Amino acid sequence: MFLNEYEDIPFDALTYLTGECNYGGRVTDDKDRRLLLSLLSKFYSDDLIDTARYNFSDSGDYFCPDHGPYNTYIEYIRSLPIIPHPEVFGLHENADITKDNQETQSLFDGILLTLPRQSGGGGKSPSETIQELATDILSKLPDDFNLEYVMEKYPVMYSESMNTVLRQELIRFNRLTAVVRDSLRNIQKAIKGLVVMSSELEDVFDSMLIGKVPAMWAAKSYPSLKPMGGYVADLLARLQFLQDWIDTGSPNVFWLSGFYFTQSFLTGVSQNYARKYTIPIDHLGFEFEITSYEEQVDHKPEDGAYVYGLFIEGARWDRENMKVNESNPKILFDTIPVTWLKPGRKSDFKPAPTYTCPVYKTSARRGTLSTTGHSTNFVMLMELPSDRPQAHWINRGVAALCQLDD
């Protein structure tokens, strides 16, 4: 009704009304709202009116039909593919593979829930399988970190916040490994009948039997979507990363994915810079320089930190042109080389053609706000060089992940 009072269609007002109020008002995650506004920009556009057969996709299968009789619209709708291609949502063709993988995983998860607790024939019983698995994990799990030794070797220092970060990480991992160790020992005793099989231990038994991380562990753990085998291997790698730090000192390149609470590391990097140059920490931000090194660098940066261990989903890092580029067919993820986190005053940063890429701990891309005010999954926004508009990569769903699901 009010649109008729305007000479031109107020696309800005319509976008705000739809993307920020009617629909966006129900979207609590700002990254999801960013995607919603980006998708709307394809439809709320002057080009839609000015261009004949305005295309909504690169292939041209999806377009705005010319004005005509009712039957022409029906024929156009019938001509559309029965199964929509990923391009209609702005996604890469690889999104079909991701969707199929998730459907298959969901099917197998359901099948595993029907797995019988008793076995027939000459194979191993579930109890024997869990007993061997628990023994194997316990044999690989190292002792708890000696916090007193670490506090002596790496005392709290005004000029080195990484000492505090290390100590806090060790406390968190000690809590996790204590729960893992105790639950495995108790499940072995419960199988032998030495202790009561409580509901918590029964959940551990059932989860281990189908290769899932028990809820008891997940409650004390960092976010992870890995199956049991991958989770244990990842945990042992994280513990080794911290042990190497204790033994040989602060590494030249930090494994960003190896931290329990990644935000504390980022705060520590900013804090070191703020104290060195006496700048208020809330005035600081990060610039991101992707280097040509894949994992290791033979020196530390003068300021900031080198990090590795990130994966990019929905796109790839073009190592020749040093920018974000389209994914290769059937390759869902790509690794991001060693990245230099360069702290500096936000007001001094010069604008450049980049894509503001969200970084998540897992591929779930959702989390809850913890008591610290940080998300349990979202880590930070990372600027990646790009020669395409932001909307292209936003519609692609491009994000960096600290770990994969396998």
Side-chain angles (χ1 to χ4, degrees):
M1 180 174 66
F2 293 107
L3 291 177
N4 296 330
E5 298 179 9
Y6 291 87
E7 291 184 7
D8 299 319
I9 298 176
F11 284 111
D12 290 342
L14 286 172
T15 301
Y16 184 83
L17 188 65
T18 309
E20 298 283 2
C21 300
N22 288 6
Y23 294 102
R26 296 178 175 84
V27 178
T28 55
D29 189 285
D30 56 331
K31 270 71 68 181
D32 289 341
R33 196 179 298 116
R34 181 179 77 156
L35 172 61
L36 178 60
L37 291 170
S38 179
L39 290 172
L40 283 173
S41 68
K42 292 173 63 175
F43 301 91
Y44 288 177
S45 166
D46 289 315
D47 294 335
L48 183 70
I49 298 169
D50 300 336
T51 308
R53 290 172 63 93
Y54 174 76
N55 285 328
F56 296 118
S57 65
D58 294 336
S59 68
D61 291 341
Y62 301 91
F63 59 88
C64 180
D66 296 329
H67 180 61
Y70 171 80
N71 287 335
T72 60
Y73 298 109
I74 298 297
E75 288 301 319
Y76 168 69
I77 292 171
R78 285 175 177 164
S79 71
L80 294 175
I82 296 175
I83 300 174
H85 296 302
E87 64 170 3
V88 73
F89 305 106
L91 297 169
H92 191 272
E93 290 298 318
N94 286 349
D96 260 344
I97 302 174
T98 303
K99 173 184 70 70
D100 293 342
N101 284 344
Q102 290 176 347
E103 288 180 352
T104 306
Q105 186 63 46
S106 178
L107 173 65
F108 285 152
D109 287 345
I111 294 172
L112 284 173
L113 292 175
T114 65
L115 197 68
R117 291 288 297 271
Q118 301 296 327
S119 66
K124 292 180 182 176
S125 68
S127 297
E128 291 173 331
T129 303
I130 299 304
Q131 189 80 267
E132 289 182 6
L133 182 58
T135 303
D136 181 53
I137 296 174
L138 283 171
S139 67
K140 295 176 180 177
L141 205 62
D143 296 332
D144 285 350
F145 295 109
N146 187 339
L147 292 175
E148 292 183 2
Y149 168 75
V150 173
M151 289 173 70
E152 284 183 16
K153 188 173 181 180
Y154 300 99
V156 176
M157 295 172 61
Y158 181 81
S159 59
E160 185 51 271
S161 297
M162 286 301 137
N163 292 356
T164 304
V165 172
L166 174 62
R167 194 172 77 254
Q168 291 174 348
E169 286 292 304
L170 298 183
I171 291 171
R172 294 186 182 100
F173 275 103
N174 273 355
R175 286 194 200 122
L176 171 58
T177 53
V179 169
V180 172
R181 192 179 291 108
D182 290 346
S183 64
L184 291 175
R185 286 173 178 166
N186 287 332
I187 199 74
Q188 287 180 318
K189 293 177 181 177
I191 291 171
K192 294 176 181 177
L194 301 177
V195 298
V196 176
M197 178 72 86
S198 64
S199 58
E200 290 86 1
L201 289 179
E202 191 171 1
D203 174 69
V204 173
F205 184 97
D206 292 339
S207 298
M208 291 176 68
L209 196 60
I210 61 175
K212 284 196 168 185
V213 177
M216 183 187 293
W217 298 8
K220 296 291 184 183
S221 173
Y222 48 86
S224 178
L225 299 177
K226 291 179 181 289
M228 183 73 156
Y231 178 84
V232 172
D234 180 58
L235 174 61
L236 295 175
R238 291 172 187 244
L239 297 175
Q240 187 59 51
F241 163 67
L242 294 172
Q243 188 60 55
D244 291 342
W245 187 345
I246 294 169
D247 295 340
T248 62
S250 177
N252 294 339
V253 186
F254 291 93
W255 183 28
L256 190 65
S257 311
F259 289 97
Y260 187 112
F261 186 48
T262 317
Q263 287 89 343
S264 69
F265 165 72
L266 299 174
T267 302
V269 175
S270 296
Q271 208 166 46
N272 279 347
Y273 187 87
R275 289 172 174 176
K276 181 178 178 181
Y277 296 101
T278 60
I279 302 172
I281 195 169
D282 55 338
H283 291 181
L284 297 180
F286 284 116
E287 289 184 295
F288 303 89
E289 183 178 317
I290 314 295
T291 69
S292 57
Y293 303 104
E294 287 301 324
E295 279 194 11
Q296 295 301 325
V297 184
D298 57 7
H299 63 278
K300 295 181 181 180
E302 184 178 349
D303 294 313
Y306 288 130
V307 297
Y308 76 98
L310 290 177
F311 302 87
I312 187 168
E313 182 182 24
R316 68 181 173 90
W317 178 252
D318 188 337
R319 285 160 171 76
E320 290 184 9
N321 301 310
M322 300 301 283
K323 64 184 179 184
V324 182
N325 211 332
E326 295 289 359
S327 297
N328 291 323
K330 299 182 182 179
I331 299 178
L332 305 183
F333 303 96
D334 189 23
T335 56
I336 298 179
V338 173
T339 304
W340 181 12
L341 303 181
K342 297 163 57 176
R345 287 182 186 270
K346 296 176 187 174
S347 57
D348 295 339
F349 293 168
K350 296 178 181 179
T354 59
Y355 166 59
T356 306
C357 179
V359 180
Y360 296 96
K361 293 181 182 178
T362 69
S363 64
R365 302 198 189 190
R366 63 178 181 272
T368 56
L369 283 179
S370 60
T371 53
T372 60
H374 295 91
S375 168
T376 54
N377 199 358
F378 175 72
V379 178
M380 62 178 173
L381 291 172
M382 183 177 180
E383 300 290 341
L384 296 177
S386 169
D387 58 0
R388 292 175 181 261
Q390 287 259 7
H392 177 80
W393 301 117
I394 293 172
N395 294 346
R396 282 279 194 263
V398 176
L401 308 176
C402 291
Q403 57 178 303
L404 303 181
D405 298 347
D406 50 8

